[in-house]
Amino acid sequence: MCYLMKLQKVLFVFTMTLMISSIQQVVHAGGTGKVVDLLVNESGLLELLSNKGIRGLSANRLKNSGLNSIKNLNASGSLPSAYQLQSILRNLNVTSDSIDAVKKVKIRRLLNKSHKDITKDEITDLFNDLIYLSHRYGYSKTTALACSQCVSDALYSRGFKYTLEVLENKNSAAVMKNHIPKTPSKLRRFIAKEMTNSQMGDFSRATTKQVGKEEEKALGLFLGLSKYGSAKQKAFTKAVKEVSKMPSGNVSLVDSQNSHKLWKIISSNLTDQQLDGWTDILNKTATKAKGQRSKKEAFFSVLEAKAGNHPGMKERLKILKRKNCFFQ
């Protein structure tokens, strides 16, 4: 009996110790916890955003993009611990004199700040840079970078540039995984080679305004799908080539006088029906602008005809023009 009483006392003390420890951890996270501690936890990430006034759909989009980015940087594809994430970023192999290296240093600094001290602007920088680096250097090849201004006005108005989505189209994911190089340097060589071999122009002349570093994977996917895509995907890539033709008949996918980014459309999670719709629009654009260098005016003319008097479609068209999502 005495032994049982002693055992119960020991168990009680042990239980109370665990409870106190748990409470201390919660207090620590809510008070002096670092940003990195909240970033690797779904509820903590939402708390971090909420404390800076980012809630609702915008917060959920950022949460998903943040978690996708962190998992993408981990070789196992799982969500790392705070310590593991810091180690991953410390060892991330980026060119020492590049803008990527600057972003890496900034991210590591922000992650070590107290979540109470980090500002709204710093949160914006953290997500922009984390998504950017994850997209360029991450292990998974089935993610796609989306421009926030074409995804969410609320995010764009707050300064968030990108969201990171998982490719849902199985064929796109397979092409990205099996045919598109992982490292930025190999990816650029792949793009240059494929554009030359497919007679789509000279990639060496492309400026970062025409094809940003964060957009190179989307261009690589477009080129990969032009060879290995489904019938509908190949039809779309052919339509983009038609829109990219110069008066001479040669294709210039990246052209300063016909500066479009229509190739990015295929990296979005579109249904076959939606892709067919875009293919039809681009074919009509090419026909309408035959012999012209710039296809911008013809593109929007085709969209205006398609929108007709439909209020919703007309409003969407205004947004596309204002945001310059496809033509620069």
Side-chain angles (χ1 to χ4, degrees):
M1 184 69 175
C2 183
Y3 174 78
L4 287 175
M5 290 180 66
K6 287 183 178 180
L7 180 60
Q8 288 176 339
K9 185 175 182 180
V10 170
L11 288 174
F12 175 78
V13 172
F14 179 72
T15 302
M16 290 300 295
T17 301
L18 286 178
M19 289 177 64
I20 292 171
S21 177
S22 298
I23 292 171
Q24 287 175 334
Q25 289 177 3
V26 171
V27 171
H28 177 75
T32 60
K34 295 180 179 179
V35 170
V36 67
D37 296 317
L38 297 184
L39 202 64
V40 295
N41 178 280
E42 185 170 339
S43 58
L45 209 163
L46 284 174
E47 178 190 343
L48 177 67
L49 295 173
S50 178
N51 288 342
K52 303 305 174 183
I54 306 168
R55 303 180 181 89
L57 184 59
S58 295
N60 278 309
R61 282 191 183 276
L62 279 179
K63 178 203 71 176
N64 291 335
S65 290
L67 294 176
N68 286 341
S69 300
I70 294 168
K71 291 176 183 177
N72 193 30
L73 286 169
N74 193 4
S76 69
S78 61
L79 189 65
S81 66
Y83 175 80
Q84 288 171 329
L85 179 57
Q86 289 176 318
S87 177
I88 288 167
L89 288 168
R90 183 171 60 251
N91 296 313
L92 192 64
N93 187 21
V94 301
T95 307
S96 59
D97 60 348
S98 69
I99 188 67
D100 298 0
V102 175
K103 292 180 183 296
K104 172 183 167 179
V105 170
K106 185 194 291 186
I107 289 173
R108 294 186 63 199
R109 177 179 62 81
L110 293 176
L111 289 181
N112 281 303
K113 293 195 71 167
S114 164
H115 74 85
K116 293 180 68 177
D117 295 335
I118 193 168
T119 67
K120 290 181 181 180
D121 288 343
E122 287 175 330
I123 286 287
T124 303
D125 288 343
L126 174 61
F127 273 83
N128 284 339
D129 293 346
L130 183 64
I131 291 171
Y132 170 90
L133 286 185
S134 176
H135 183 61
R136 279 175 61 75
Y137 298 95
Y139 285 89
S140 173
K141 293 185 179 180
T142 57
T143 56
L145 194 72
C147 174
S148 72
Q149 67 175 338
C150 297
V151 173
S152 168
D153 281 327
L155 290 179
Y156 181 65
S157 65
R158 290 176 178 270
F160 294 99
K161 296 179 181 178
Y162 326 109
T163 62
L164 193 68
E165 317 291 338
V166 176
L167 284 172
E168 295 177 0
N169 183 283
K170 291 182 179 180
N171 197 58
S172 294
V175 170
M176 184 74 88
K177 183 177 181 181
N178 299 320
H179 299 286
I180 310 303
K182 176 182 176 294
T183 65
S185 58
K186 289 181 179 179
L187 175 61
R188 288 185 63 82
R189 288 197 292 271
F190 168 83
I191 292 172
K193 180 181 177 181
E194 289 300 319
M195 282 183 60
T196 299
N197 291 346
S198 302
Q199 297 183 327
M200 294 191 210
D202 185 359
F203 182 62
S204 66
R205 297 183 179 182
T207 65
T208 52
K209 182 179 180 181
Q210 293 170 318
V211 184
K213 290 183 177 181
E214 72 280 4
E215 297 173 318
E216 289 173 357
K217 272 191 179 178
L219 180 54
L221 178 60
F222 171 86
L223 294 169
L225 289 171
S226 70
K227 293 177 65 175
Y228 306 108
S230 66
K232 291 182 181 294
Q233 288 170 328
K234 287 181 178 179
F236 173 82
T237 62
K238 184 179 178 181
V240 173
K241 292 178 195 177
E242 290 297 316
V243 172
S244 304
K245 278 187 176 179
M246 298 188 291
S248 65
N250 294 328
V251 174
S252 181
L253 192 63
V254 182
D255 182 5
S256 61
Q257 295 184 53
N258 183 30
S259 188
H260 71 77
K261 298 187 179 184
L262 295 164
W263 38 267
K264 288 176 63 174
I265 293 173
I266 206 165
S267 63
S268 304
N269 284 318
L270 301 177
T271 64
D272 282 347
Q273 185 178 7
Q274 290 171 324
L275 194 61
D276 284 343
W278 276 113
T279 301
D280 180 62
I281 288 169
L282 297 187
N283 281 330
K284 288 178 179 177
T285 297
T287 299
K288 191 175 186 66
K290 190 173 182 179
Q292 299 174 20
R293 187 76 174 262
S294 174
K295 310 299 191 298
K296 182 175 182 179
E297 186 177 335
F299 175 75
F300 284 112
S301 177
V302 170
L303 286 182
E304 285 169 359
K306 190 174 183 66
N309 294 319
H310 190 282
M313 292 183 70
K314 289 178 71 174
E315 182 60 30
R316 179 60 180 164
L317 180 56
K318 287 181 182 178
I319 293 172
L320 288 178
K321 287 182 177 180
R322 188 178 76 245
K323 293 180 177 179
N324 290 322
C325 290
F326 302 124
F327 280 86
Q328 303 305 301

